[in-house]
Amino acid sequence: MVIVFLIILALIVFVAWKVYQGWNSTVPQPLPPPVVAQPLPVHEYTVELFLPSSLPSLKFGARFTVKYLLKGELRIGEDVRRVLEWELHQAAQSVTSQFPLTVSRYLHLALNDRLNAWRWVREGVVGFQAECTGVQADPKDLALAAELERARFTLEMEAQLHDARLRGAERLGGLLGEPRTAALWWFAQHPDRVEDLPRITELMYTLDAQLNHRGAVLGPGVLAVGDEFSPTSGTDLDVFLTGAKSEERTLLLNTLTTAYERLGRPDLAERARTLADVEEDEADVR
């Protein structure tokens, strides 16, 4: 009887131990505390750089507050501040070189727009951002820059005025290039002054002769009173060609062609040759 009792007691203990072991295994074990990465220390310093303006010999003086982080080690022999100043100078001069020295008062806005964002250099080892706290320029350089801007503006205005005058002269030359057209244009502007038209017409022919280095004429082939034929004026040649026969005109034009070629004027020789060919064609037709 005692043996049976001991066996039953042993079974109860065994079952209780198993139940306890199974219950204990289902209870979740607490997780180890997370490893919190320590933030990288932020270093800060100030630096002043001289940066080129749009005229590189005139420079801005700019002050910056620089913040930077280090994720690792730089190469042997490299100094972090020298690295940062080089990178900062390269980034800042790409901005300042677009502006003249006279905008130094507002240049810090453009610099901060470019440099306030963090950037990483040296393969991600160094990160930095900068804030421009002030920009200034030497007063003598500022005066020189202002004088150069005024001179450039004056030259540009003079060039535009010169171009406008040239265009006006070309239009006027095109108008006065043919006296009859010039006289009719004047009459269209002054239709109530028809009595002045003969005088204006004579004036236009006179202007045409003077501007084109011809003898003063009142009309095509008509000399002004008191003028004489001149072998260099072209008027006597016009009169001769007007009254000459076709064979005479052809002979004269062929002679002119040869003379122009010997004198080194192929353009005039070609014109004379063309006129001679026209005369020969007309003679063949007749």
PDB file of all heavy atoms in Angstrom, residues 1 3 12 15 28 35-36 46-47 53 69 84 96 121 138 142 147 200 216 236 244 247 275 283:
ATOM      1  N   MET A   1       0.827  -1.203   0.000  1.00  0.00           N
ATOM      2  CA  MET A   1       0.000   0.000   0.000  1.00  0.00           C
ATOM      3  C   MET A   1       0.861   1.254   0.000  1.00  0.00           C
ATOM      4  O   MET A   1       0.587   2.228  -0.682  1.00  0.00           O
ATOM      5  CB  MET A   1      -0.918  -0.021   1.238  1.00  0.00           C
ATOM      6  CG  MET A   1      -1.960   1.074   1.228  1.00  0.00           C
ATOM      7  SD  MET A   1      -3.165   0.797  -0.078  1.00  0.00           S
ATOM      8  CE  MET A   1      -4.185   2.203   0.193  1.00  0.00           C
ATOM      9  N   ILE A   3       3.807   1.434  -1.147  1.00  0.00           N
ATOM     10  CA  ILE A   3       4.491   1.530  -2.448  1.00  0.00           C
ATOM     11  C   ILE A   3       3.583   2.185  -3.475  1.00  0.00           C
ATOM     12  O   ILE A   3       4.005   3.055  -4.264  1.00  0.00           O
ATOM     13  CB  ILE A   3       4.933   0.120  -2.916  1.00  0.00           C
ATOM     14  CG1 ILE A   3       5.980  -0.443  -1.952  1.00  0.00           C
ATOM     15  CG2 ILE A   3       5.491   0.185  -4.333  1.00  0.00           C
ATOM     16  CD1 ILE A   3       6.369  -1.892  -2.219  1.00  0.00           C
ATOM     17  N   ILE A  12       2.308  12.457  -9.563  1.00  0.00           N
ATOM     18  CA  ILE A  12       1.752  13.810  -9.391  1.00  0.00           C
ATOM     19  C   ILE A  12       2.856  14.854  -9.482  1.00  0.00           C
ATOM     20  O   ILE A  12       2.720  15.905 -10.133  1.00  0.00           O
ATOM     21  CB  ILE A  12       1.004  13.893  -8.047  1.00  0.00           C
ATOM     22  CG1 ILE A  12      -0.259  13.003  -8.085  1.00  0.00           C
ATOM     23  CG2 ILE A  12       0.621  15.341  -7.733  1.00  0.00           C
ATOM     24  CD1 ILE A  12      -0.959  12.879  -6.736  1.00  0.00           C
ATOM     25  N   VAL A  15       4.031  15.146 -13.176  1.00  0.00           N
ATOM     26  CA  VAL A  15       3.075  15.884 -14.019  1.00  0.00           C
ATOM     27  C   VAL A  15       3.098  17.366 -13.682  1.00  0.00           C
ATOM     28  O   VAL A  15       3.077  18.244 -14.560  1.00  0.00           O
ATOM     29  CB  VAL A  15       1.656  15.300 -13.843  1.00  0.00           C
ATOM     30  CG1 VAL A  15       0.626  16.184 -14.539  1.00  0.00           C
ATOM     31  CG2 VAL A  15       1.586  13.878 -14.398  1.00  0.00           C
ATOM     32  N   PRO A  28       7.007  35.104 -22.883  1.00  0.00           N
ATOM     33  CA  PRO A  28       8.061  35.776 -23.669  1.00  0.00           C
ATOM     34  C   PRO A  28       9.132  36.352 -22.765  1.00  0.00           C
ATOM     35  O   PRO A  28       8.850  36.937 -21.722  1.00  0.00           O
ATOM     36  CB  PRO A  28       7.302  36.892 -24.408  1.00  0.00           C
ATOM     37  CG  PRO A  28       6.084  37.139 -23.585  1.00  0.00           C
ATOM     38  CD  PRO A  28       5.717  35.809 -22.979  1.00  0.00           C
ATOM     39  N   VAL A  35      20.449  49.404 -28.617  1.00  0.00           N
ATOM     40  CA  VAL A  35      21.701  50.164 -28.601  1.00  0.00           C
ATOM     41  C   VAL A  35      21.451  51.505 -29.285  1.00  0.00           C
ATOM     42  O   VAL A  35      21.111  51.557 -30.471  1.00  0.00           O
ATOM     43  CB  VAL A  35      22.823  49.397 -29.324  1.00  0.00           C
ATOM     44  CG1 VAL A  35      24.105  50.228 -29.338  1.00  0.00           C
ATOM     45  CG2 VAL A  35      23.049  48.049 -28.648  1.00  0.00           C
ATOM     46  N   VAL A  36      21.541  52.581 -28.588  1.00  0.00           N
ATOM     47  CA  VAL A  36      21.291  53.922 -29.124  1.00  0.00           C
ATOM     48  C   VAL A  36      22.616  54.509 -29.613  1.00  0.00           C
ATOM     49  O   VAL A  36      23.572  54.624 -28.833  1.00  0.00           O
ATOM     50  CB  VAL A  36      20.659  54.840 -28.061  1.00  0.00           C
ATOM     51  CG1 VAL A  36      20.428  56.234 -28.632  1.00  0.00           C
ATOM     52  CG2 VAL A  36      19.365  54.233 -27.545  1.00  0.00           C
ATOM     53  N   THR A  46      34.239  80.102 -37.699  1.00  0.00           N
ATOM     54  CA  THR A  46      33.996  81.180 -38.661  1.00  0.00           C
ATOM     55  C   THR A  46      35.228  81.363 -39.540  1.00  0.00           C
ATOM     56  O   THR A  46      36.361  81.103 -39.110  1.00  0.00           O
ATOM     57  CB  THR A  46      33.679  82.508 -37.955  1.00  0.00           C
ATOM     58  OG1 THR A  46      34.776  82.863 -37.112  1.00  0.00           O
ATOM     59  CG2 THR A  46      32.414  82.384 -37.124  1.00  0.00           C
ATOM     60  N   VAL A  47      34.982  81.820 -40.763  1.00  0.00           N
ATOM     61  CA  VAL A  47      36.072  82.025 -41.706  1.00  0.00           C
ATOM     62  C   VAL A  47      35.694  83.163 -42.651  1.00  0.00           C
ATOM     63  O   VAL A  47      34.505  83.395 -42.912  1.00  0.00           O
ATOM     64  CB  VAL A  47      36.348  80.727 -42.508  1.00  0.00           C
ATOM     65  CG1 VAL A  47      35.155  80.354 -43.375  1.00  0.00           C
ATOM     66  CG2 VAL A  47      37.596  80.869 -43.367  1.00  0.00           C
ATOM     67  N   SER A  53      34.355  88.624 -58.235  1.00  0.00           N
ATOM     68  CA  SER A  53      33.100  89.152 -58.780  1.00  0.00           C
ATOM     69  C   SER A  53      33.054  88.820 -60.268  1.00  0.00           C
ATOM     70  O   SER A  53      33.873  88.052 -60.778  1.00  0.00           O
ATOM     71  CB  SER A  53      33.033  90.664 -58.564  1.00  0.00           C
ATOM     72  OG  SER A  53      34.058  91.312 -59.307  1.00  0.00           O
ATOM     73  N   LEU A  69      30.505  67.956 -39.677  1.00  0.00           N
ATOM     74  CA  LEU A  69      30.505  66.657 -39.002  1.00  0.00           C
ATOM     75  C   LEU A  69      31.602  65.796 -39.609  1.00  0.00           C
ATOM     76  O   LEU A  69      31.908  65.918 -40.798  1.00  0.00           O
ATOM     77  CB  LEU A  69      29.159  65.942 -39.189  1.00  0.00           C
ATOM     78  CG  LEU A  69      27.899  66.660 -38.691  1.00  0.00           C
ATOM     79  CD1 LEU A  69      26.665  65.912 -39.174  1.00  0.00           C
ATOM     80  CD2 LEU A  69      27.909  66.737 -37.180  1.00  0.00           C
ATOM     81  N   LEU A  84      37.537  72.029 -45.856  1.00  0.00           N
ATOM     82  CA  LEU A  84      36.265  72.744 -45.851  1.00  0.00           C
ATOM     83  C   LEU A  84      36.385  74.107 -46.531  1.00  0.00           C
ATOM     84  O   LEU A  84      35.484  74.518 -47.274  1.00  0.00           O
ATOM     85  CB  LEU A  84      35.773  72.921 -44.415  1.00  0.00           C
ATOM     86  CG  LEU A  84      35.290  71.646 -43.719  1.00  0.00           C
ATOM     87  CD1 LEU A  84      34.976  71.925 -42.261  1.00  0.00           C
ATOM     88  CD2 LEU A  84      34.070  71.080 -44.429  1.00  0.00           C
ATOM     89  N   THR A  96      29.299  84.087 -56.641  1.00  0.00           N
ATOM     90  CA  THR A  96      29.749  85.484 -56.676  1.00  0.00           C
ATOM     91  C   THR A  96      30.265  85.909 -58.043  1.00  0.00           C
ATOM     92  O   THR A  96      30.169  87.080 -58.404  1.00  0.00           O
ATOM     93  CB  THR A  96      30.856  85.709 -55.634  1.00  0.00           C
ATOM     94  OG1 THR A  96      31.989  84.868 -55.941  1.00  0.00           O
ATOM     95  CG2 THR A  96      30.350  85.370 -54.242  1.00  0.00           C
ATOM     96  N   VAL A 121      31.412  65.696 -48.538  1.00  0.00           N
ATOM     97  CA  VAL A 121      32.574  65.669 -49.425  1.00  0.00           C
ATOM     98  C   VAL A 121      33.557  64.622 -48.917  1.00  0.00           C
ATOM     99  O   VAL A 121      33.363  64.033 -47.850  1.00  0.00           O
ATOM    100  CB  VAL A 121      33.249  67.059 -49.494  1.00  0.00           C
ATOM    101  CG1 VAL A 121      32.298  68.083 -50.096  1.00  0.00           C
ATOM    102  CG2 VAL A 121      33.701  67.518 -48.111  1.00  0.00           C
ATOM    103  N   ASP A 138      35.996  96.572 -50.922  1.00  0.00           N
ATOM    104  CA  ASP A 138      36.850  97.731 -50.714  1.00  0.00           C
ATOM    105  C   ASP A 138      36.213  98.961 -51.371  1.00  0.00           C
ATOM    106  O   ASP A 138      35.766  98.890 -52.524  1.00  0.00           O
ATOM    107  CB  ASP A 138      38.230  97.463 -51.322  1.00  0.00           C
ATOM    108  CG  ASP A 138      39.199  98.591 -51.040  1.00  0.00           C
ATOM    109  OD1 ASP A 138      39.213  99.559 -51.827  1.00  0.00           O
ATOM    110  OD2 ASP A 138      39.929  98.515 -50.040  1.00  0.00           O
ATOM    111  N   LEU A 142      34.833  99.440 -55.166  1.00  0.00           N
ATOM    112  CA  LEU A 142      33.429  99.750 -55.449  1.00  0.00           C
ATOM    113  C   LEU A 142      33.305 100.954 -56.379  1.00  0.00           C
ATOM    114  O   LEU A 142      32.504 100.947 -57.325  1.00  0.00           O
ATOM    115  CB  LEU A 142      32.687 100.032 -54.139  1.00  0.00           C
ATOM    116  CG  LEU A 142      32.025  98.842 -53.449  1.00  0.00           C
ATOM    117  CD1 LEU A 142      31.434  99.277 -52.115  1.00  0.00           C
ATOM    118  CD2 LEU A 142      30.946  98.245 -54.331  1.00  0.00           C
ATOM    119  N   GLU A 147      32.210 103.033 -61.831  1.00  0.00           N
ATOM    120  CA  GLU A 147      32.668 103.794 -62.995  1.00  0.00           C
ATOM    121  C   GLU A 147      32.687 102.923 -64.248  1.00  0.00           C
ATOM    122  O   GLU A 147      32.293 103.357 -65.336  1.00  0.00           O
ATOM    123  CB  GLU A 147      34.064 104.350 -62.720  1.00  0.00           C
ATOM    124  CG  GLU A 147      34.600 105.234 -63.840  1.00  0.00           C
ATOM    125  CD  GLU A 147      35.969 105.806 -63.516  1.00  0.00           C
ATOM    126  OE1 GLU A 147      36.429 105.648 -62.367  1.00  0.00           O
ATOM    127  OE2 GLU A 147      36.580 106.411 -64.418  1.00  0.00           O
ATOM    128  N   ILE A 200      12.163 121.339-106.224  1.00  0.00           N
ATOM    129  CA  ILE A 200      12.562 120.185-105.426  1.00  0.00           C
ATOM    130  C   ILE A 200      13.149 119.098-106.319  1.00  0.00           C
ATOM    131  O   ILE A 200      14.148 118.451-105.972  1.00  0.00           O
ATOM    132  CB  ILE A 200      11.359 119.649-104.624  1.00  0.00           C
ATOM    133  CG1 ILE A 200      10.904 120.688-103.594  1.00  0.00           C
ATOM    134  CG2 ILE A 200      11.706 118.335-103.937  1.00  0.00           C
ATOM    135  CD1 ILE A 200      11.965 121.035-102.569  1.00  0.00           C
ATOM    136  N   ALA A 216      26.788 117.822-111.939  1.00  0.00           N
ATOM    137  CA  ALA A 216      25.447 118.274-111.593  1.00  0.00           C
ATOM    138  C   ALA A 216      24.549 118.192-112.809  1.00  0.00           C
ATOM    139  O   ALA A 216      24.848 118.756-113.853  1.00  0.00           O
ATOM    140  CB  ALA A 216      25.490 119.705-111.077  1.00  0.00           C
ATOM    141  N   ASP A 236      29.292 112.972-119.883  1.00  0.00           N
ATOM    142  CA  ASP A 236      29.575 112.964-121.314  1.00  0.00           C
ATOM    143  C   ASP A 236      29.421 111.565-121.888  1.00  0.00           C
ATOM    144  O   ASP A 236      28.944 111.374-123.009  1.00  0.00           O
ATOM    145  CB  ASP A 236      30.987 113.499-121.582  1.00  0.00           C
ATOM    146  CG  ASP A 236      32.030 112.808-120.715  1.00  0.00           C
ATOM    147  OD1 ASP A 236      31.626 112.068-119.801  1.00  0.00           O
ATOM    148  OD2 ASP A 236      33.232 113.016-120.963  1.00  0.00           O
ATOM    149  N   ALA A 244      24.566 107.474-129.656  1.00  0.00           N
ATOM    150  CA  ALA A 244      25.422 106.675-130.529  1.00  0.00           C
ATOM    151  C   ALA A 244      24.650 105.535-131.173  1.00  0.00           C
ATOM    152  O   ALA A 244      23.599 105.110-130.691  1.00  0.00           O
ATOM    153  CB  ALA A 244      26.597 106.118-129.726  1.00  0.00           C
ATOM    154  N   GLU A 247      26.558  99.915-133.171  1.00  0.00           N
ATOM    155  CA  GLU A 247      27.929  99.453-133.373  1.00  0.00           C
ATOM    156  C   GLU A 247      28.911 100.287-132.562  1.00  0.00           C
ATOM    157  O   GLU A 247      29.892  99.769-132.005  1.00  0.00           O
ATOM    158  CB  GLU A 247      28.298  99.520-134.861  1.00  0.00           C
ATOM    159  CG  GLU A 247      27.455  98.626-135.764  1.00  0.00           C
ATOM    160  CD  GLU A 247      26.130  99.283-136.138  1.00  0.00           C
ATOM    161  OE1 GLU A 247      25.906 100.441-135.722  1.00  0.00           O
ATOM    162  OE2 GLU A 247      25.312  98.630-136.821  1.00  0.00           O
ATOM    163  N   LEU A 275      26.665  94.754-120.885  1.00  0.00           N
ATOM    164  CA  LEU A 275      26.016  95.754-121.742  1.00  0.00           C
ATOM    165  C   LEU A 275      26.392  95.552-123.203  1.00  0.00           C
ATOM    166  O   LEU A 275      25.553  95.716-124.108  1.00  0.00           O
ATOM    167  CB  LEU A 275      26.410  97.161-121.282  1.00  0.00           C
ATOM    168  CG  LEU A 275      25.851  97.594-119.916  1.00  0.00           C
ATOM    169  CD1 LEU A 275      26.444  98.933-119.511  1.00  0.00           C
ATOM    170  CD2 LEU A 275      24.330  97.689-119.977  1.00  0.00           C
ATOM    171  N   ALA A 283      21.379  94.222-131.888  1.00  0.00           N
ATOM    172  CA  ALA A 283      21.781  94.449-133.282  1.00  0.00           C
ATOM    173  C   ALA A 283      21.421  93.246-134.148  1.00  0.00           C
ATOM    174  O   ALA A 283      20.978  93.390-135.293  1.00  0.00           O
ATOM    175  CB  ALA A 283      23.283  94.731-133.349  1.00  0.00           C
TER     176      ALA A 283
END
